[in-house]
Amino acid sequence: MTDTTTLSARLRAVSFGGHRQPDDDQTDGRYGERYLHGGLTGAQVAAQAALHFFVYEAIEAKLAEHLERDPDFAFAFPELIRLPAIERDLEHWLGADWRSQIEPTPTTKRYVERIQEVGDQPHLFVAHHYTRYLADLSGGQMIAAMHREAYGLSDRKGAEFYDFPEIESIPEFKNEYRAALDAAGFSDEQIRELEDEVRLAYDFNNQAGQELNSVL
Ligand code: HEM
């Protein structure tokens, strides 16, 4: 039987399952706690930005390919593009030669390879796009407020990643994004694959988050 629930509602349900509980395991929270409350060196803060750099480089390169093939690709959303802000954050924490100082962790590498491997298929690309950008527009905004306060980033330098200056209202934008999901016209099978891919993207993000503890 065809499932009549909207794609955005289905993904939201998958997302509720994907949010890991903070007490899931003993190693959790150390880097994350210090990221939110202070106590990391600049180089350690940069590890989070480096993770973002590799993932967004992959997502935004695939997006450019989609747009080349189809200029009307519904998930263009130029106001979401993150790479230039991440590069400025990395320069802030590591200096002008930041690029030579970062490399992907094992999970980040597998995450990037997965995006490259499946990202030509619009529905699987959307899974990765949704999981990252909606996270940034949701929990990411709370993380940003705490991180900025803890590290005294009052002029916003060093945490530009979390800023979406071209988005006037995040709640309205999220509704627009959800409308694009619901109008995408994916088949039932594609939607099931998309949901699985979102689960996989959560696993990558949760594991990569834990790997950040290795810089402590
Ligand atoms: C400390 C970490 C996190 C916090 C506090 C947090 C918090 C939240 C909250 C409160 C929402 C609901 C916002 C709303 O009502 O629209 C949300 C949504 C979301 N989060 Fe997180 N989150 C965290 C980590 C993550 C991670 C690691 C991911 C995966 C990369 C993620 C992906 C998402 C997505 C995709 C949504 C949108 C769900 C939807 O409306 O479709 N979050 N998050």
Side-chain angles (χ1 to χ4, degrees):
M1 207 175 79
T2 302
D3 190 329
T4 51
T5 313
T6 59
L7 176 56
S8 62
R10 287 177 66 164
L11 293 187
R12 197 153 209 219
V14 172
S15 274
F16 284 130
H19 280 80
R20 205 174 30 135
Q21 296 306 305
D23 57 358
D24 267 356
D25 72 55
Q26 304 287 347
T27 63
D28 192 28
R30 289 186 287 129
Y31 182 95
E33 293 268 322
R34 293 195 211 174
Y35 190 82
L36 295 178
H37 301 294
L40 296 175
T41 64
Q44 288 170 332
V45 169
Q48 173 75 267
L51 192 169
H52 289 149
F53 173 79
F54 293 110
V55 171
Y56 286 85
E57 185 182 49
I59 292 176
E60 293 177 3
K62 276 289 166 216
L63 174 63
E65 289 175 30
H66 280 290
L67 282 169
E68 240 169 66
R69 282 191 293 267
D70 172 12
D72 297 325
F73 187 61
F75 293 86
F77 295 114
E79 58 273 63
L80 290 179
I81 294 296
R82 296 291 80 205
L83 204 55
I86 296 168
E87 291 176 350
R88 288 194 294 276
D89 290 343
L90 283 163
E91 185 166 352
H92 173 88
W93 296 109
L94 296 176
D97 69 339
W98 58 268
R99 186 64 188 83
S100 66
Q101 298 175 56
I102 61 170
E103 55 181 55
T105 62
T107 299
T108 306
K109 220 167 161 208
R110 287 194 293 116
Y111 188 5
V112 163
E113 282 163 7
R114 179 71 187 175
I115 294 165
Q116 289 167 340
E117 191 185 311
V118 303
D120 289 336
Q121 300 175 65
H123 66 299
L124 299 183
F125 174 77
V126 166
H128 289 285
H129 192 275
Y130 159 83
T131 307
R132 274 308 334 176
Y133 294 107
L134 271 248
D136 304 333
L137 293 169
S138 306
Q141 297 302 302
M142 305 175 211
I143 292 168
M146 293 176 77
H147 177 68
R148 285 195 168 109
E149 165 120 24
Y151 289 84
L153 305 174
S154 51
D155 64 357
R156 308 194 92 69
K157 284 247 174 292
E160 291 186 58
F161 166 72
Y162 301 100
D163 260 340
F164 291 86
E166 291 163 46
I167 296 180
E168 228 167 85
S169 157
I170 287 183
E172 274 173 33
F173 179 86
K174 287 205 283 195
N175 284 338
E176 224 182 280
Y177 189 94
R178 291 192 181 107
L181 287 174
D182 296 339
F186 297 131
S187 70
D188 287 353
E189 192 188 344
Q190 286 172 327
I191 288 179
R192 280 192 293 275
E193 288 177 0
L194 198 167
E195 289 176 310
D196 282 344
E197 197 68 21
V198 167
R199 288 188 191 95
L200 188 64
Y202 265 96
D203 288 346
F204 280 131
N205 278 284
N206 288 332
Q207 271 180 40
Q210 287 198 35
E211 275 178 357
L212 289 172
N213 286 314
S214 69
V215 304
L216 297 180

